[in-house]
Amino acid sequence: MIIIEKALDAKIDINEVYRYMGCKDATKEVADLVQRCLLEAENIITYKCCYERFAINIEDEIDLGFAKTTSKSLKKNLQGCSEIVLFTATIGIEIDRLIQKYSKVSSSSALTFQAIGGALIEQWCNELCKRFADHLKKEGKFLRPRFSPGYGDLPLDLQKDIFRVLDCSRRIGVSLTDGMLMIPTKSVSAIVGISNIDQRCNLKGCEACDNKNCLYRRG
């Protein structure tokens, strides 16, 4: 079990914040609002991750090393893989508190903090996958795009097994509700295939990739 607690290596992509806000062309008023919210949020974000590496076996069902599943979507994504990285990442509870605080006094600020949180957790996951990929290159191995419970036909119930094996609540302060939602809300759990073949997959995920016919595309 390995735990990472470290700041992002790069500044937040403002365009991603605008995208989460649904703004194609941000006005000066929106840009100023985003900057004000970023200044308030930047010192309270805590980047954490716990992860583990598992050998897997793919037959009629997938043995992930910590649980089994018959998900066809995940099976497609993991074809040719013999291992996975399993991780849970979060940016902490404080952004949730800001969203709750401003939802009572300023819906536009609450929306902005929602967008900042969404952009930051996505950027944190992208950076983690880059770190994993850089490390695995030394072994001559390559990563597939990350795949989370709820994608395609991979059931959300797999979260129970992920949280059990990674001990997320104790290690990084992320808990799971009865409805399989994570708290803090800006948290992600994911399975990342490890392969000996470089498929040139986009580690930012299928949403950011133009190859609609990729064998390993989600769902």
Side-chain angles (χ1 to χ4, degrees):
M1 175 71 64
I2 301 177
I3 303 172
I4 298 174
E5 185 171 353
K6 188 178 179 181
L8 279 165
D9 290 340
K11 291 183 179 179
I12 187 172
D13 185 343
I14 297 296
N15 289 327
E16 279 297 286
V17 178
Y18 295 154
R19 185 175 70 83
Y20 274 91
M21 293 176 74
C23 295
K24 292 183 178 179
D25 298 304
T27 63
K28 184 179 184 302
E29 182 181 8
V30 170
D32 289 343
L33 174 61
V34 170
Q35 289 300 325
R36 288 198 303 272
C37 291
L38 279 172
L39 284 173
E40 187 168 356
E42 64 181 359
N43 293 322
I44 62 170
I45 300 297
T46 55
Y47 300 96
K48 296 182 181 181
C49 168
C50 56
Y51 70 95
E52 185 64 88
R53 189 168 167 177
F54 293 93
I56 66 170
N57 184 41
I58 303 176
E59 294 181 352
D60 292 335
E61 66 177 1
I62 309 168
D63 185 345
L64 294 167
F66 66 94
K68 294 181 179 181
T69 179
T70 57
S71 167
K72 293 180 180 179
S73 299
L74 182 61
K75 187 175 183 179
K76 180 179 73 172
N77 181 277
L78 294 179
Q79 282 299 318
C81 296
S82 58
E83 295 178 90
I84 58 168
V85 174
L86 177 72
F87 77 85
T88 298
T90 186
I91 61 169
I93 195 66
E94 293 303 327
I95 193 78
D96 286 349
R97 290 173 177 159
L98 284 176
I99 293 166
Q100 183 177 23
K101 169 186 171 182
Y102 280 97
S103 65
K104 300 175 182 177
V105 295
S106 172
S107 59
S108 59
S109 293
L111 171 65
T112 304
F113 283 116
Q114 281 280 10
I116 288 171
L120 282 174
I121 185 59
E122 185 73 9
Q123 191 170 337
W124 179 222
C125 289
N126 291 342
E127 180 171 321
L128 288 166
C129 287
K130 182 180 183 302
R131 294 182 190 185
F132 297 151
D134 289 345
H135 178 77
L136 286 164
K137 279 182 182 179
K138 300 172 185 177
E139 302 178 27
K141 297 179 184 293
F142 306 91
L143 283 188
R144 296 282 168 75
R146 65 180 185 268
F147 202 105
S148 294
Y151 289 167
D153 62 350
L154 186 64
L156 275 173
D157 280 355
L158 191 66
Q159 291 280 52
K160 295 177 183 178
D161 295 299
I162 293 173
F163 273 67
R164 170 184 54 78
V165 72
L166 292 183
D167 197 7
C168 302
S169 180
R170 185 174 68 86
R171 294 183 183 277
I172 59 171
V174 180
S175 58
L176 193 64
T177 70
D178 291 340
M180 302 297 114
L181 298 178
M182 287 180 278
I183 299 175
T185 62
K186 304 308 178 187
S187 304
V188 168
S189 60
I191 296 163
V192 191
I194 302 173
S195 173
N196 292 323
I197 302 171
D198 185 4
Q199 296 289 344
R200 300 291 180 184
C201 284
N202 188 330
L203 296 183
K204 290 186 177 181
C206 298
E207 294 83 358
C209 182
D210 294 328
N211 186 2
K212 306 301 183 184
N213 297 315
C214 177
L215 175 62
Y216 308 106
R217 193 169 185 84
R218 295 192 293 249

